[in-house]
Amino acid sequence: MSRRMVTAEPGAHPETRSTLLEVVDLKTRFRTDAGTVHAVDGVSFTLDRGRTLGVVGESGSGKTVLSRSVMGLLPSRNVEREGHVLYEGTDIIGFDQKRMSQVWGAEMAMVFQDPMTSLNPVMKIGNQITESLRFHLGVDKGEASATAVALLKSVGIPAAEQRLKEYPHQLSGGMRQRVTIAIALACGPKVLFADEPTTALDVTVQAQILDLLAEQQRERHMAMILVSHDLGVVAGRTDEIMVMYGGRVVEQAPTDVLFADVKMPYTEALLRSIPRIEHPSHARLEAIPGRPPKLISPPKGCNFAPRCRYAQPKCTEETPPLVAADDPRHLYRCWFPVGSAEGADALARNLADGTTVAYPTSPGSAPAAATPGTDGEGA
Amino acid sequence: MAGSGTAHLRPDADALLRAENLVVEFPIGSTGLKVNAVSDISLDVLPGETLGLVGESGSGKSTTGRALMQMPSPTSGRVTFDGRVLSELSGAELRKVRPEMQMIFQDPNSSLNPRRTVGDIVAEPLKIWNRGTAAEQRKLVDDALESVGIDADAARDRRPHQFSGGQCQRICIARALMLEPKLLICDEPVSALDVSVQAQILNLLQDLKAQHGLTMLFIAHDLAVVKNVSDRVAVMYLGKLCEVGTPEQLYDRPTHPYTAALLAAIPVPDPAVRPDGGTRLAGDPPSPVAPPSGCRFRTRCPMAQELCSQVEPTMREVSPGHHVACHFPLADLPAESADGPAAVADTPATDDGEA
């Protein structure tokens, strides 16, 4: 077994809280016939070794493009990237594919949403695992397949030796996702991007896979970026959460701080729209009216304003900056934050008027969804 | 779970839809093997009621929904809808019943014809059944689109790809309601949608149900979603029913180990609730080609005993309206065997069937 495969004791790391990955003002734009899509619009974050960052947002919020931009997995045609991606202090944003191939798998790896399409259907599972082992670590065939068996066992696949000779279609969805995790972990990456790793899976299997990721992360002292649309998935499993909307970070905080003190109306709205098991049945859900913003020529001002219960004229004029709350680690992007005097005033005004600055222009949505809920407190 | 039996059914005359001993099998080529998709399921839905059907992928919940619609007809079993026995009707007779039962599917994009305009798509049921003049049809289409929150003037001449997933689902709902059905079968209608849009669609379905006096069968894998919409919930596993009851009964006092495991697996949007690995269900569901003997859940059940592999449990009453098919339910019931529920409750949680 190779040097990289040795799993480390968490305590054995002197550099436990050091920065592994730093992303500074990352912008990703797609040039299309219809115009330029600002898919990621100035995102910054740091990720320490062994820590987990959750990235949450609706479809089209830019969360997937963000993780692919950081890893340099986007096609070079029609894509512009700007900003810095510092991996262990080196800016990898200018790396060409040849240099990135030394990073992929060995330093950063990714688990994708749909295990059926991320596995090669005409290649045996064993070869898919040993491919990166042989490329990065230069081990011989025998050693590589011994490692592959160990990997499959570590991700909870029974009869690992036989599985090596099977094809992806012979496995269930949960087993396939275990295989993609084994592939991602093969060369001992220091950071794992998990892009909606359980969205295609059943709830019982989802729990198994999230447990597995957490366990492997602990054993390997690996950092992880967990991308999900489900706040429930990231709540119990991340150290920090970044909420994205329309390509921007709209709120970012340590997980417990975020849930205890939501500042951004969008985060509050997301939390309130989730059907909760503890609520009685037929409870009216607080839907967010309208839909996510277009990323081609985004509107002036806050891009959540058209759907926001707190929206005021100022919101459609000026883009709010990302500012810190009382806790300096808690950042949000709002003029009228939840839980503040301004926010309460804004909401009271809108509720009194029965409308906001933006609802009348929002097509196809039910403005009734903006009516007040039973409780005023978010989270 | 696996259980069979009809103890949970209510008096025959009350139900709008009633299925007894429904079986759906799909033969696999000429191998002589068959997929036991639905094995002896009985359920009923009263007028105005929403029955939620939950289960993992492969549990047969979609197949059940389709078998009730007779598309395709079940291998065996009796389906009664509004006093008519669907499983005995001829094709022509069945066709006449169809407008009264409509269906909404999971993926709104693939259930709308991409080459037709939204106006055409929604008007099609009216054209097929020759309801009204062209002008009347147009009025009905506009009303239907507006009632689901779509601007008819803007949408009529556009095609599905110009709409978001949530809007496409609204269009599907408008089409399904065009003929004023009595029964609406929703097969995972919100699982392809974002949580914010999901809430919009769930609210819309509730509103339309009240407006049109609909009876619904709501199929989904998300227990929280099912709780939100349902008056009664049935839990399926590998082609069998496990537990039936009101949402309160099922979610507050789950008596089937599978229901309990499903509930424990739901991620909670609260960091104070740390995921608990102790009650985790191990492994995947077995193949429906060769389902386990006795109770089909026994291979993953933390409570399984010898009896479970030999005898299939049948539905029995836990409390009024709450039924479970389990030999060792998580509730004080008259025990069916020497091993009572007390012994069961102490059984340690799952052994690791996978590693």
Side-chain angles (χ1 to χ4, degrees), chain B residues 3-14:
Chain B
S4 309
T6 54
H8 57 293
L9 295 184
R10 289 157 297 181
D12 204 358
D14 295 346

Side-chain angles (χ1 to χ4, degrees), chain A residues 57-60 63 153 155-159 172-175 178 199-208 210-211 229-239 255-257 259-260 266 270-271 273-292 307 363-366 369, chain B residues 50 55-58 61 148-151 162-164 167 170 193-204 206-207 209 221-231 247-248 251-252 258 261-277 280-285 300 353-355:
Chain A
E58 293 176 87
S59 330
K63 55 192 194 303
K153 282 184 176 152
V155 296
I157 291 187
S172 69
M175 284 295 164
R178 287 172 192 269
T199 305
L201 306 174
D202 278 316
V203 62
T204 54
V205 181
Q206 161 172 299
Q208 295 170 8
L210 291 171
D211 285 350
H229 67 279
D230 187 344
L231 275 162
V233 165
V234 294
R237 303 181 182 271
T238 54
D239 301 302
T255 304
D256 44 349
V257 175
F259 280 89
Y266 175 62
L270 264 189
L271 278 167
S273 66
I274 303 173
R276 301 282 193 106
I277 212 98
E278 60 272 17
H279 288 176
S281 52
H282 304 299
R284 188 96 189 150
L285 295 170
E286 294 189 44
I288 309 177
R291 50 191 177 118
R307 306 172 73 191
S365 66
Chain B
T50 300
E56 293 176 272
S57 333
K61 52 194 194 303
V148 296
I150 300 274
D151 179 2
Q162 292 170 288
F163 294 86
S164 67
Q167 288 174 317
R170 288 170 190 270
L193 306 176
D194 271 318
V195 61
S196 60
V197 180
Q198 165 179 301
Q200 294 172 10
I201 299 293
L202 291 175
N203 285 341
L204 175 69
Q206 297 274 52
D207 293 343
K209 188 190 160 197
H221 67 276
D222 184 326
L223 282 121
V225 166
V226 165
K227 180 171 184 191
N228 181 264
V229 298
S230 305
D231 301 302
E248 289 72 28
Y251 288 73
D252 298 344
Y258 180 62
L262 273 183
L263 286 167
I266 299 173
V268 185
D270 179 354
V273 183
R274 284 280 156 182
D276 165 26
R280 208 59 96 223
L281 214 51
D284 295 319
R300 297 171 81 194
E354 252 196 310

